[in-house]
Amino acid sequence: MKELALITGASSGIGLDIARSLARRGFDLIVAARREDRLLALKQELQEAHKVQVHVLATDLSRPEAAAELHRRSLSLGEVTALINNAGFGIKGPFLHHDPAELRNMLQVNMTSLSELTRLFLPAMVQQRHGYVLQVSSIGAFQPSPDYAAYSATKSYVLSFSYALNRELSGTGVSVTTVCPGITETEFHEVARHEKSAFLKMMNMKSADVAEMSVKAMLARRAILIPGFLNKVNSLLMESMPRWLSTAIAGGAVRE
């Protein structure tokens, strides 16, 4: 079976590097994001370098109808055997200062569209008894994070939902892998309008490294991946602490 992967948020960062990693392995790709010009440049790069088919579907997953549209448009391009739900963004600052429309868009992209895409693509994978789902969460999923209260909550949802779903799918030939990156060299902090502190810069990982580890974990059908030794230690510490203490530490870590 020729593998076909759909990657959301593929125009930059981890999503772009996941596309490169899968193309090196011979996957055909459907790359989706808002910025069509970047997707077209990626298509040319990967088709020339790896002789794979790359399909571009420009979409904005903050639109409530976008997930269903993306699924419908993908059906004509082949049977998707790997779904990579990478699209997402964060808003930094006190919750009371969030723009309601921007907040609604973040909740839609990070949780609702992710859930809908998973629900829409899973039946065909289960029927074929072969498939992979890779959900991009965050190390922020492991503790409440002041100044990222809503964002971290969305990533906690992704982790809890996806970990449970992987168990539900046991024995079907389909697996769900959740990756929880820490600070990564992407456009995330620019979009969130957050200047990294010296502590956060120390934790930086390269997007290409996170992507490669994520693809390996997905293909190995691992339930969860926390890239980087310091991130693993941090997540274990945060989970073992009283909630009030881990919340206070998380709040201090994101201050500029």
Side-chain angles (χ1 to χ4, degrees):
M1 176 187 294
K2 179 66 172 177
E3 302 280 10
L4 175 63
L6 168 62
I7 307 165
T8 67
S11 62
S12 65
I14 295 171
L16 183 148
D17 283 317
I18 286 175
R20 288 171 171 158
S21 179
L22 289 172
R24 287 195 297 270
R25 290 170 165 84
F27 278 68
D28 288 339
L29 304 174
I30 302 171
V31 290
R34 291 175 301 160
R35 295 174 289 192
E36 188 174 24
D37 57 336
R38 292 195 182 191
L39 296 178
L40 291 171
L42 178 62
K43 173 180 178 176
Q44 182 176 356
E45 172 197 332
L46 298 181
Q47 289 191 160
E48 290 178 357
H50 304 293
K51 311 305 179 188
V52 296
Q53 290 295 313
V54 180
H55 309 279
V56 169
L57 295 181
T59 189
D60 181 356
L61 288 172
S62 69
R63 295 166 51 244
E65 63 275 16
E69 289 177 359
L70 183 56
H71 176 252
R72 185 169 61 251
R73 294 165 70 190
S74 298
L75 291 178
S76 64
L77 301 175
E79 195 76 59
V80 170
T81 56
L83 171 64
I84 292 85
N85 276 315
N86 167 74
F89 68 96
I91 307 172
K92 181 183 182 292
F95 180 78
L96 286 176
H97 295 174
H98 289 352
D99 176 74
E102 189 177 25
L103 174 64
R104 187 184 312 112
N105 289 344
M106 183 183 70
L107 300 178
Q108 177 72 38
V109 174
N110 291 11
M111 295 190 298
T112 306
S113 289
L114 176 145
S115 302
E116 290 178 355
L117 286 170
T118 304
R119 176 62 182 85
L120 289 166
F121 281 99
L122 272 179
M125 294 183 190
V126 172
Q127 184 176 13
Q128 295 293 325
R129 298 195 62 80
H130 174 74
Y132 307 92
V133 179
L134 178 63
Q135 313 279 46
V136 180
S137 180
S138 166
I139 197 171
F142 294 101
Q143 75 276 320
S145 300
D147 277 350
Y148 277 111
Y151 168 76
S152 287
T154 68
K155 293 305 184 177
S156 293
Y157 168 82
V158 173
L159 175 59
S160 180
F161 161 66
S162 305
Y163 201 83
L165 181 59
N166 182 60
R167 182 72 177 182
E168 288 183 15
L169 293 170
S170 178
T172 66
V174 182
S175 53
V176 181
T177 300
T178 307
V179 57
C180 299
I183 306 302
T184 308
E185 292 178 357
T186 68
E187 297 176 354
F188 174 87
H189 285 84
E190 287 77 9
V191 172
R193 299 180 292 276
H194 178 191
E195 183 176 346
K196 295 178 186 175
S197 65
F199 172 75
L200 294 182
K201 289 178 180 178
M202 182 183 70
M203 302 282 286
N204 250 357
M205 292 186 68
K206 293 182 179 178
S207 173
D209 293 340
V210 173
E212 182 66 16
M213 286 186 279
S214 299
V215 168
K216 287 181 177 178
M218 180 188 78
L219 296 177
R221 301 191 182 277
R222 290 179 57 182
I224 188 169
L225 168 71
I226 304 171
F229 175 75
L230 289 178
N231 291 324
K232 290 184 178 70
V233 171
N234 181 57
S235 65
L236 288 171
L237 288 174
M238 288 296 185
E239 285 196 298
S240 66
M241 290 179 186
R243 185 60 60 89
W244 68 266
L245 180 55
S246 65
T247 302
I249 293 173
V254 301
R255 289 182 190 140
E256 298 172 12

